[in-house]
Amino acid sequence: MSSSFIARGVHVDFDGIKALDDVDVELREREVLGLIGPNGAGKTTLVNVLSGFQRLDEGSMQLNGANVTGWSPYRLARRGLARTFQGARLFKGLSVFENVEVGALGVGVGRREAKARAESLLSLLGLYGQADMPADSLAYGGQRRLEIARALALRPQFLLLDEPAAGLSELESDEMMSAILDFKKDSDCGVLIIEHDMRVIMSLCDRVHVLNYGKTIKVGTPAEVRADEGVLTAYLGVGGNQDA
Amino acid sequence: MKHSNSPLLSWIGRRVWPLVALIVPLGAIALFGGTGSIVFQREVTTMMMYMVVVVGYYIFVGNSGVTSFGHISFMIIGAYTAALLTLTVQQKIILLPDLPSFLADVHFGFVGGALLGAVVAAVFAAVIALPINRLTGISLSLAMFAILLTVNVIVSHWTSVTRGVTSMFGVPQSTTLGSAFVFASITIVAAWMFQWTRVGLRMRAAREDEPAARAVGISIPRDRAIAFILSGFFVGLGGALFAQFLGAFNSDTFYISTTLLTIAMLVIGGFKSLSGAVVGTVFVSALDAGLRRMEDGFALGPLEVGSRPGLSAVGLALCMLLVLVFRSEGLTGSREIPSLWRLRRNETPPADTLPAPATDRKDVS
């Protein structure tokens, strides 16, 4: 049976303001799902809900058929869900190597296996040479790559990336996406990615989920989304936000 | 700095050398102390016992990043347990006539008393570990302070077992400079090993960023509970050593002032590193001993300064204030002793694990 991560009818209110309003999202194995929308559309809130950091007011979540509604982040991580954060959140007092090692140790693998994962992921993300440096001594691009290496160390079934290329140069962004694709070649992992760079979304994603004001306005292939009038209005229409 | 490709040398450089660099100077201090006056020997012995307490305290606070204001409750439990187990049966008949028979009829030697004091403190820590470690930040700190107050009140009123506010005396004074040094070294080795275990590494990760730690599957309360119990064991051991050093003590011997002194030792040294705990204990012990001598009056060149009671407490508080303002990570900067050798992974990675050059990668644009 193929794995899937499904959320149905997700509602989240912040003091009466609907951050998410009846959102359904489905993430399948081996696919890359882009999550886009103007600023304030609810993208990060949805990732927070999916990863257990934000309690949903209504709705349900299923991971491979099991009801995981209301589960804490650490339980979801142990069930195969990894995420990154909008700004790189590293274990700054630890070395680059330990940051990735902890990613594997967190989900209960042995020390030897955790070290092996760290070595191979640091190589994949081009950080091997900085392995023993303090994590906070890396340049920003390195920190973003390290956060992804740490998430991949969980060997997740599903990976949620919150603007992984934000603040990176075009070259760094391409390198990161290339590393993600390299990882995906040998993995069944399903990836959800929030990204404002449409170049990345259109080239990387199998499907795109568009949010606006907390509601789903379109789910489809990149080509379908690009041709959708509702999406164009949300991004480019009168009063629309054009930063995406 | 030497370079080494040998994994063994690299491991020694990273894992063994920092430990040696802490324990050898401590051994030198113990040797030097042994050659001094009785007063100096007692001061160095006291420092070694505080080393056990502060490094034990560090196991929880340093790895979790959460301050506890109540760890001295484990010291109280360790001290009273050791006293009750090392007093002779005859002494107990006279001092504690209402003592339950399972305590009245037993007698242990120095090591047995010390270890069982530590074990009982660890059991107490285990009982409160899970509820306490569901709390975070200042809530946990204050909950531990409440535990300290509670333990103090119980000890002060449980006359049949603790003699209440009256001094517990007659405890064999078995703790020597040598034994205190041995236990201090064991505690340092245990703390060092713990922080490199899976639990220790996960705890230090959670100390740096709790949400990121939860996102990688770390159960923070469970890991903290394990460190809490280990920490309780060693702080209890420190209490047991103190009981067998002082010979007589009461419910207020290990209380607020001991709490403040041990916090000062950890903060001044740098609470996020074992080196900080060790350096802070040595520095504050020396400062405290020096200031106590000056309390009786001293000469500054031609200037004669009279008796200054309280000089030690004021001096320590001032020192802590200066460290907090000008060097918030403590004297060691909360860093460990650096490695002797350049680390293996900072050199060229194995050829088969080298990532492809960026220019060769698939273009995603």
Side-chain angles (χ1 to χ4, degrees), chain B residues 46-79:
Chain B
T46 302
M47 184 199 78
M48 294 295 174
M49 292 185 296
Y50 272 124
M51 190 69 72
V52 175
V53 174
V54 174
V55 172
Y57 182 49
Y58 160 81
I59 289 173
F60 179 74
V61 174
N63 289 300
S64 71
V66 181
T67 308
S68 160
F69 294 142
H71 257 58
I72 296 306
S73 54
F74 303 131
M75 201 177 169
I76 298 171
I77 292 167

PDB file of all heavy atoms in Angstrom, chain B residues 46-79:
ATOM      1  N   THR B  46      36.515  20.462  50.991  1.00  0.00           N
ATOM      2  CA  THR B  46      35.190  21.058  50.790  1.00  0.00           C
ATOM      3  C   THR B  46      34.980  21.369  49.305  1.00  0.00           C
ATOM      4  O   THR B  46      33.904  21.114  48.752  1.00  0.00           O
ATOM      5  CB  THR B  46      35.049  22.336  51.639  1.00  0.00           C
ATOM      6  OG1 THR B  46      35.261  21.990  53.010  1.00  0.00           O
ATOM      7  CG2 THR B  46      33.680  22.963  51.479  1.00  0.00           C
ATOM      8  N   MET B  47      36.028  21.897  48.674  1.00  0.00           N
ATOM      9  CA  MET B  47      35.926  22.204  47.241  1.00  0.00           C
ATOM     10  C   MET B  47      35.636  20.937  46.431  1.00  0.00           C
ATOM     11  O   MET B  47      34.808  20.941  45.520  1.00  0.00           O
ATOM     12  CB  MET B  47      37.220  22.839  46.746  1.00  0.00           C
ATOM     13  CG  MET B  47      37.167  23.264  45.308  1.00  0.00           C
ATOM     14  SD  MET B  47      38.810  23.502  44.611  1.00  0.00           S
ATOM     15  CE  MET B  47      39.288  21.826  44.305  1.00  0.00           C
ATOM     16  N   MET B  48      36.319  19.845  46.785  1.00  0.00           N
ATOM     17  CA  MET B  48      36.104  18.584  46.047  1.00  0.00           C
ATOM     18  C   MET B  48      34.666  18.088  46.234  1.00  0.00           C
ATOM     19  O   MET B  48      34.048  17.571  45.294  1.00  0.00           O
ATOM     20  CB  MET B  48      37.084  17.505  46.528  1.00  0.00           C
ATOM     21  CG  MET B  48      38.534  17.791  46.231  1.00  0.00           C
ATOM     22  SD  MET B  48      38.859  17.800  44.450  1.00  0.00           S
ATOM     23  CE  MET B  48      40.572  18.350  44.467  1.00  0.00           C
ATOM     24  N   MET B  49      34.120  18.244  47.440  1.00  0.00           N
ATOM     25  CA  MET B  49      32.749  17.793  47.670  1.00  0.00           C
ATOM     26  C   MET B  49      31.764  18.693  46.907  1.00  0.00           C
ATOM     27  O   MET B  49      30.780  18.211  46.344  1.00  0.00           O
ATOM     28  CB  MET B  49      32.445  17.780  49.170  1.00  0.00           C
ATOM     29  CG  MET B  49      33.235  16.719  49.920  1.00  0.00           C
ATOM     30  SD  MET B  49      32.789  16.581  51.646  1.00  0.00           S
ATOM     31  CE  MET B  49      33.274  18.179  52.272  1.00  0.00           C
ATOM     32  N   TYR B  50      32.060  19.992  46.900  1.00  0.00           N
ATOM     33  CA  TYR B  50      31.218  20.880  46.093  1.00  0.00           C
ATOM     34  C   TYR B  50      31.320  20.518  44.610  1.00  0.00           C
ATOM     35  O   TYR B  50      30.368  20.690  43.859  1.00  0.00           O
ATOM     36  CB  TYR B  50      31.589  22.354  46.309  1.00  0.00           C
ATOM     37  CG  TYR B  50      30.842  22.986  47.463  1.00  0.00           C
ATOM     38  CD1 TYR B  50      31.507  23.594  48.519  1.00  0.00           C
ATOM     39  CD2 TYR B  50      29.451  22.969  47.491  1.00  0.00           C
ATOM     40  CE1 TYR B  50      30.821  24.164  49.573  1.00  0.00           C
ATOM     41  CE2 TYR B  50      28.746  23.536  48.546  1.00  0.00           C
ATOM     42  CZ  TYR B  50      29.442  24.134  49.587  1.00  0.00           C
ATOM     43  OH  TYR B  50      28.747  24.683  50.623  1.00  0.00           O
ATOM     44  N   MET B  51      32.488  20.029  44.210  1.00  0.00           N
ATOM     45  CA  MET B  51      32.660  19.609  42.817  1.00  0.00           C
ATOM     46  C   MET B  51      31.642  18.514  42.485  1.00  0.00           C
ATOM     47  O   MET B  51      31.032  18.524  41.416  1.00  0.00           O
ATOM     48  CB  MET B  51      34.090  19.099  42.615  1.00  0.00           C
ATOM     49  CG  MET B  51      34.464  18.852  41.178  1.00  0.00           C
ATOM     50  SD  MET B  51      34.589  20.367  40.230  1.00  0.00           S
ATOM     51  CE  MET B  51      36.111  21.049  40.887  1.00  0.00           C
ATOM     52  N   VAL B  52      31.478  17.561  43.407  1.00  0.00           N
ATOM     53  CA  VAL B  52      30.502  16.487  43.187  1.00  0.00           C
ATOM     54  C   VAL B  52      29.102  17.082  43.043  1.00  0.00           C
ATOM     55  O   VAL B  52      28.345  16.742  42.120  1.00  0.00           O
ATOM     56  CB  VAL B  52      30.548  15.467  44.360  1.00  0.00           C
ATOM     57  CG1 VAL B  52      29.446  14.423  44.205  1.00  0.00           C
ATOM     58  CG2 VAL B  52      31.918  14.807  44.437  1.00  0.00           C
ATOM     59  N   VAL B  53      28.769  18.013  43.935  1.00  0.00           N
ATOM     60  CA  VAL B  53      27.430  18.602  43.921  1.00  0.00           C
ATOM     61  C   VAL B  53      27.217  19.429  42.640  1.00  0.00           C
ATOM     62  O   VAL B  53      26.198  19.281  41.951  1.00  0.00           O
ATOM     63  CB  VAL B  53      27.216  19.491  45.178  1.00  0.00           C
ATOM     64  CG1 VAL B  53      25.878  20.226  45.091  1.00  0.00           C
ATOM     65  CG2 VAL B  53      27.286  18.650  46.438  1.00  0.00           C
ATOM     66  N   VAL B  54      28.177  20.286  42.324  1.00  0.00           N
ATOM     67  CA  VAL B  54      27.996  21.211  41.196  1.00  0.00           C
ATOM     68  C   VAL B  54      28.022  20.466  39.860  1.00  0.00           C
ATOM     69  O   VAL B  54      27.217  20.755  38.969  1.00  0.00           O
ATOM     70  CB  VAL B  54      29.066  22.337  41.233  1.00  0.00           C
ATOM     71  CG1 VAL B  54      28.987  23.215  39.993  1.00  0.00           C
ATOM     72  CG2 VAL B  54      28.876  23.181  42.477  1.00  0.00           C
ATOM     73  N   VAL B  55      28.918  19.496  39.731  1.00  0.00           N
ATOM     74  CA  VAL B  55      28.933  18.725  38.479  1.00  0.00           C
ATOM     75  C   VAL B  55      27.651  17.890  38.373  1.00  0.00           C
ATOM     76  O   VAL B  55      27.070  17.758  37.287  1.00  0.00           O
ATOM     77  CB  VAL B  55      30.207  17.859  38.375  1.00  0.00           C
ATOM     78  CG1 VAL B  55      30.133  16.912  37.182  1.00  0.00           C
ATOM     79  CG2 VAL B  55      31.438  18.758  38.237  1.00  0.00           C
ATOM     80  N   GLY B  56      27.189  17.356  39.507  1.00  0.00           N
ATOM     81  CA  GLY B  56      25.899  16.657  39.519  1.00  0.00           C
ATOM     82  C   GLY B  56      24.765  17.592  39.111  1.00  0.00           C
ATOM     83  O   GLY B  56      23.888  17.223  38.325  1.00  0.00           O
ATOM     84  N   TYR B  57      24.789  18.791  39.629  1.00  0.00           N
ATOM     85  CA  TYR B  57      23.793  19.818  39.295  1.00  0.00           C
ATOM     86  C   TYR B  57      23.884  20.153  37.803  1.00  0.00           C
ATOM     87  O   TYR B  57      22.871  20.296  37.104  1.00  0.00           O
ATOM     88  CB  TYR B  57      24.110  21.037  40.160  1.00  0.00           C
ATOM     89  CG  TYR B  57      23.198  22.226  40.043  1.00  0.00           C
ATOM     90  CD1 TYR B  57      21.811  22.095  40.122  1.00  0.00           C
ATOM     91  CD2 TYR B  57      23.720  23.505  39.906  1.00  0.00           C
ATOM     92  CE1 TYR B  57      20.991  23.214  40.042  1.00  0.00           C
ATOM     93  CE2 TYR B  57      22.912  24.620  39.836  1.00  0.00           C
ATOM     94  CZ  TYR B  57      21.549  24.468  39.900  1.00  0.00           C
ATOM     95  OH  TYR B  57      20.746  25.564  39.815  1.00  0.00           O
ATOM     96  N   TYR B  58      25.119  20.229  37.301  1.00  0.00           N
ATOM     97  CA  TYR B  58      25.357  20.534  35.877  1.00  0.00           C
ATOM     98  C   TYR B  58      24.740  19.471  34.962  1.00  0.00           C
ATOM     99  O   TYR B  58      24.245  19.798  33.874  1.00  0.00           O
ATOM    100  CB  TYR B  58      26.865  20.641  35.613  1.00  0.00           C
ATOM    101  CG  TYR B  58      27.218  20.467  34.152  1.00  0.00           C
ATOM    102  CD1 TYR B  58      27.089  21.521  33.252  1.00  0.00           C
ATOM    103  CD2 TYR B  58      27.640  19.226  33.661  1.00  0.00           C
ATOM    104  CE1 TYR B  58      27.370  21.348  31.901  1.00  0.00           C
ATOM    105  CE2 TYR B  58      27.928  19.053  32.314  1.00  0.00           C
ATOM    106  CZ  TYR B  58      27.787  20.107  31.444  1.00  0.00           C
ATOM    107  OH  TYR B  58      28.058  19.937  30.109  1.00  0.00           O
ATOM    108  N   ILE B  59      24.767  18.211  35.394  1.00  0.00           N
ATOM    109  CA  ILE B  59      24.237  17.138  34.535  1.00  0.00           C
ATOM    110  C   ILE B  59      22.814  17.471  34.090  1.00  0.00           C
ATOM    111  O   ILE B  59      22.446  17.259  32.937  1.00  0.00           O
ATOM    112  CB  ILE B  59      24.287  15.774  35.266  1.00  0.00           C
ATOM    113  CG1 ILE B  59      25.738  15.310  35.380  1.00  0.00           C
ATOM    114  CG2 ILE B  59      23.447  14.718  34.529  1.00  0.00           C
ATOM    115  CD1 ILE B  59      25.934  14.057  36.231  1.00  0.00           C
ATOM    116  N   PHE B  60      22.027  18.042  35.001  1.00  0.00           N
ATOM    117  CA  PHE B  60      20.672  18.443  34.607  1.00  0.00           C
ATOM    118  C   PHE B  60      20.651  19.842  33.993  1.00  0.00           C
ATOM    119  O   PHE B  60      20.195  20.030  32.866  1.00  0.00           O
ATOM    120  CB  PHE B  60      19.723  18.380  35.803  1.00  0.00           C
ATOM    121  CG  PHE B  60      18.321  18.820  35.438  1.00  0.00           C
ATOM    122  CD1 PHE B  60      17.508  17.989  34.686  1.00  0.00           C
ATOM    123  CD2 PHE B  60      17.853  20.065  35.792  1.00  0.00           C
ATOM    124  CE1 PHE B  60      16.236  18.403  34.300  1.00  0.00           C
ATOM    125  CE2 PHE B  60      16.583  20.490  35.419  1.00  0.00           C
ATOM    126  CZ  PHE B  60      15.772  19.648  34.674  1.00  0.00           C
ATOM    127  N   VAL B  61      21.161  20.808  34.726  1.00  0.00           N
ATOM    128  CA  VAL B  61      21.029  22.210  34.305  1.00  0.00           C
ATOM    129  C   VAL B  61      21.834  22.494  33.029  1.00  0.00           C
ATOM    130  O   VAL B  61      21.342  23.143  32.100  1.00  0.00           O
ATOM    131  CB  VAL B  61      21.473  23.154  35.444  1.00  0.00           C
ATOM    132  CG1 VAL B  61      21.473  24.607  34.982  1.00  0.00           C
ATOM    133  CG2 VAL B  61      20.556  22.993  36.636  1.00  0.00           C
ATOM    134  N   GLY B  62      23.050  22.005  32.984  1.00  0.00           N
ATOM    135  CA  GLY B  62      23.902  22.292  31.833  1.00  0.00           C
ATOM    136  C   GLY B  62      23.382  21.667  30.555  1.00  0.00           C
ATOM    137  O   GLY B  62      23.418  22.277  29.495  1.00  0.00           O
ATOM    138  N   ASN B  63      22.882  20.439  30.672  1.00  0.00           N
ATOM    139  CA  ASN B  63      22.413  19.761  29.466  1.00  0.00           C
ATOM    140  C   ASN B  63      21.018  20.193  29.049  1.00  0.00           C
ATOM    141  O   ASN B  63      20.693  20.177  27.866  1.00  0.00           O
ATOM    142  CB  ASN B  63      22.454  18.246  29.661  1.00  0.00           C
ATOM    143  CG  ASN B  63      23.875  17.717  29.698  1.00  0.00           C
ATOM    144  OD1 ASN B  63      24.625  17.870  28.736  1.00  0.00           O
ATOM    145  ND2 ASN B  63      24.280  17.135  30.813  1.00  0.00           N
ATOM    146  N   SER B  64      20.184  20.553  30.025  1.00  0.00           N
ATOM    147  CA  SER B  64      18.810  20.943  29.683  1.00  0.00           C
ATOM    148  C   SER B  64      18.684  22.439  29.433  1.00  0.00           C
ATOM    149  O   SER B  64      17.784  22.888  28.719  1.00  0.00           O
ATOM    150  CB  SER B  64      17.848  20.550  30.808  1.00  0.00           C
ATOM    151  OG  SER B  64      18.053  21.377  31.940  1.00  0.00           O
ATOM    152  N   GLY B  65      19.560  23.235  30.054  1.00  0.00           N
ATOM    153  CA  GLY B  65      19.437  24.690  29.949  1.00  0.00           C
ATOM    154  C   GLY B  65      18.370  25.247  30.871  1.00  0.00           C
ATOM    155  O   GLY B  65      18.072  26.436  30.833  1.00  0.00           O
ATOM    156  N   VAL B  66      17.782  24.396  31.703  1.00  0.00           N
ATOM    157  CA  VAL B  66      16.732  24.844  32.626  1.00  0.00           C
ATOM    158  C   VAL B  66      17.312  24.912  34.036  1.00  0.00           C
ATOM    159  O   VAL B  66      17.875  23.933  34.528  1.00  0.00           O
ATOM    160  CB  VAL B  66      15.534  23.867  32.618  1.00  0.00           C
ATOM    161  CG1 VAL B  66      14.455  24.354  33.567  1.00  0.00           C
ATOM    162  CG2 VAL B  66      14.987  23.726  31.214  1.00  0.00           C
ATOM    163  N   THR B  67      17.184  26.067  34.668  1.00  0.00           N
ATOM    164  CA  THR B  67      17.721  26.225  36.019  1.00  0.00           C
ATOM    165  C   THR B  67      16.793  25.567  37.028  1.00  0.00           C
ATOM    166  O   THR B  67      15.579  25.661  36.913  1.00  0.00           O
ATOM    167  CB  THR B  67      17.857  27.722  36.360  1.00  0.00           C
ATOM    168  OG1 THR B  67      18.595  28.339  35.312  1.00  0.00           O
ATOM    169  CG2 THR B  67      18.578  27.930  37.666  1.00  0.00           C
ATOM    170  N   SER B  68      17.390  24.911  37.990  1.00  0.00           N
ATOM    171  CA  SER B  68      16.612  24.347  39.096  1.00  0.00           C
ATOM    172  C   SER B  68      17.057  25.048  40.376  1.00  0.00           C
ATOM    173  O   SER B  68      18.247  25.130  40.648  1.00  0.00           O
ATOM    174  CB  SER B  68      16.871  22.846  39.202  1.00  0.00           C
ATOM    175  OG  SER B  68      16.527  22.388  40.488  1.00  0.00           O
ATOM    176  N   PHE B  69      16.082  25.538  41.134  1.00  0.00           N
ATOM    177  CA  PHE B  69      16.413  26.174  42.415  1.00  0.00           C
ATOM    178  C   PHE B  69      16.243  25.196  43.581  1.00  0.00           C
ATOM    179  O   PHE B  69      16.267  25.614  44.728  1.00  0.00           O
ATOM    180  CB  PHE B  69      15.521  27.401  42.655  1.00  0.00           C
ATOM    181  CG  PHE B  69      15.759  28.524  41.674  1.00  0.00           C
ATOM    182  CD1 PHE B  69      14.703  29.278  41.184  1.00  0.00           C
ATOM    183  CD2 PHE B  69      17.044  28.821  41.234  1.00  0.00           C
ATOM    184  CE1 PHE B  69      14.922  30.314  40.274  1.00  0.00           C
ATOM    185  CE2 PHE B  69      17.268  29.842  40.327  1.00  0.00           C
ATOM    186  CZ  PHE B  69      16.205  30.592  39.844  1.00  0.00           C
ATOM    187  N   GLY B  70      16.080  23.914  43.254  1.00  0.00           N
ATOM    188  CA  GLY B  70      15.773  22.991  44.348  1.00  0.00           C
ATOM    189  C   GLY B  70      16.633  21.745  44.403  1.00  0.00           C
ATOM    190  O   GLY B  70      16.308  20.803  45.135  1.00  0.00           O
ATOM    191  N   HIS B  71      17.727  21.730  43.647  1.00  0.00           N
ATOM    192  CA  HIS B  71      18.535  20.519  43.624  1.00  0.00           C
ATOM    193  C   HIS B  71      19.167  20.185  44.965  1.00  0.00           C
ATOM    194  O   HIS B  71      19.548  19.037  45.207  1.00  0.00           O
ATOM    195  CB  HIS B  71      19.629  20.632  42.544  1.00  0.00           C
ATOM    196  CG  HIS B  71      19.302  19.846  41.310  1.00  0.00           C
ATOM    197  ND1 HIS B  71      18.150  20.060  40.583  1.00  0.00           N
ATOM    198  CD2 HIS B  71      19.960  18.839  40.680  1.00  0.00           C
ATOM    199  CE1 HIS B  71      18.131  19.216  39.568  1.00  0.00           C
ATOM    200  NE2 HIS B  71      19.205  18.464  39.598  1.00  0.00           N
ATOM    201  N   ILE B  72      19.280  21.186  45.813  1.00  0.00           N
ATOM    202  CA  ILE B  72      19.904  20.930  47.106  1.00  0.00           C
ATOM    203  C   ILE B  72      19.024  20.002  47.956  1.00  0.00           C
ATOM    204  O   ILE B  72      19.486  19.402  48.921  1.00  0.00           O
ATOM    205  CB  ILE B  72      20.216  22.277  47.809  1.00  0.00           C
ATOM    206  CG1 ILE B  72      21.245  23.064  46.979  1.00  0.00           C
ATOM    207  CG2 ILE B  72      20.756  22.095  49.228  1.00  0.00           C
ATOM    208  CD1 ILE B  72      22.525  22.297  46.649  1.00  0.00           C
ATOM    209  N   SER B  73      17.746  19.841  47.552  1.00  0.00           N
ATOM    210  CA  SER B  73      16.894  18.873  48.266  1.00  0.00           C
ATOM    211  C   SER B  73      17.492  17.461  48.142  1.00  0.00           C
ATOM    212  O   SER B  73      17.401  16.663  49.085  1.00  0.00           O
ATOM    213  CB  SER B  73      15.462  18.900  47.720  1.00  0.00           C
ATOM    214  OG  SER B  73      15.469  18.713  46.328  1.00  0.00           O
ATOM    215  N   PHE B  74      18.129  17.158  47.007  1.00  0.00           N
ATOM    216  CA  PHE B  74      18.781  15.846  46.859  1.00  0.00           C
ATOM    217  C   PHE B  74      19.987  15.731  47.789  1.00  0.00           C
ATOM    218  O   PHE B  74      20.298  14.665  48.313  1.00  0.00           O
ATOM    219  CB  PHE B  74      19.245  15.631  45.413  1.00  0.00           C
ATOM    220  CG  PHE B  74      18.137  15.747  44.395  1.00  0.00           C
ATOM    221  CD1 PHE B  74      18.282  16.529  43.269  1.00  0.00           C
ATOM    222  CD2 PHE B  74      16.933  15.090  44.586  1.00  0.00           C
ATOM    223  CE1 PHE B  74      17.262  16.645  42.344  1.00  0.00           C
ATOM    224  CE2 PHE B  74      15.899  15.200  43.667  1.00  0.00           C
ATOM    225  CZ  PHE B  74      16.069  15.987  42.546  1.00  0.00           C
ATOM    226  N   MET B  75      20.638  16.867  48.000  1.00  0.00           N
ATOM    227  CA  MET B  75      21.789  16.881  48.906  1.00  0.00           C
ATOM    228  C   MET B  75      21.330  16.595  50.345  1.00  0.00           C
ATOM    229  O   MET B  75      21.980  15.833  51.079  1.00  0.00           O
ATOM    230  CB  MET B  75      22.446  18.265  48.814  1.00  0.00           C
ATOM    231  CG  MET B  75      23.867  18.336  49.256  1.00  0.00           C
ATOM    232  SD  MET B  75      24.477  20.022  48.974  1.00  0.00           S
ATOM    233  CE  MET B  75      26.011  19.925  49.874  1.00  0.00           C
ATOM    234  N   ILE B  76      20.207  17.203  50.717  1.00  0.00           N
ATOM    235  CA  ILE B  76      19.656  16.977  52.061  1.00  0.00           C
ATOM    236  C   ILE B  76      19.354  15.489  52.247  1.00  0.00           C
ATOM    237  O   ILE B  76      19.725  14.876  53.267  1.00  0.00           O
ATOM    238  CB  ILE B  76      18.347  17.795  52.254  1.00  0.00           C
ATOM    239  CG1 ILE B  76      18.629  19.298  52.129  1.00  0.00           C
ATOM    240  CG2 ILE B  76      17.694  17.461  53.597  1.00  0.00           C
ATOM    241  CD1 ILE B  76      17.365  20.156  52.086  1.00  0.00           C
ATOM    242  N   ILE B  77      18.682  14.915  51.243  1.00  0.00           N
ATOM    243  CA  ILE B  77      18.293  13.495  51.336  1.00  0.00           C
ATOM    244  C   ILE B  77      19.538  12.605  51.398  1.00  0.00           C
ATOM    245  O   ILE B  77      19.609  11.672  52.214  1.00  0.00           O
ATOM    246  CB  ILE B  77      17.382  13.118  50.149  1.00  0.00           C
ATOM    247  CG1 ILE B  77      16.042  13.834  50.298  1.00  0.00           C
ATOM    248  CG2 ILE B  77      17.185  11.613  50.057  1.00  0.00           C
ATOM    249  CD1 ILE B  77      15.163  13.801  49.074  1.00  0.00           C
ATOM    250  N   GLY B  78      20.528  12.912  50.567  1.00  0.00           N
ATOM    251  CA  GLY B  78      21.765  12.133  50.589  1.00  0.00           C
ATOM    252  C   GLY B  78      22.466  12.238  51.926  1.00  0.00           C
ATOM    253  O   GLY B  78      22.960  11.225  52.473  1.00  0.00           O
ATOM    254  N   ALA B  79      22.485  13.433  52.484  1.00  0.00           N
ATOM    255  CA  ALA B  79      23.177  13.661  53.760  1.00  0.00           C
ATOM    256  C   ALA B  79      22.501  12.913  54.903  1.00  0.00           C
ATOM    257  O   ALA B  79      23.165  12.202  55.680  1.00  0.00           O
ATOM    258  CB  ALA B  79      23.221  15.161  54.063  1.00  0.00           C
TER     259      ALA B  79
END
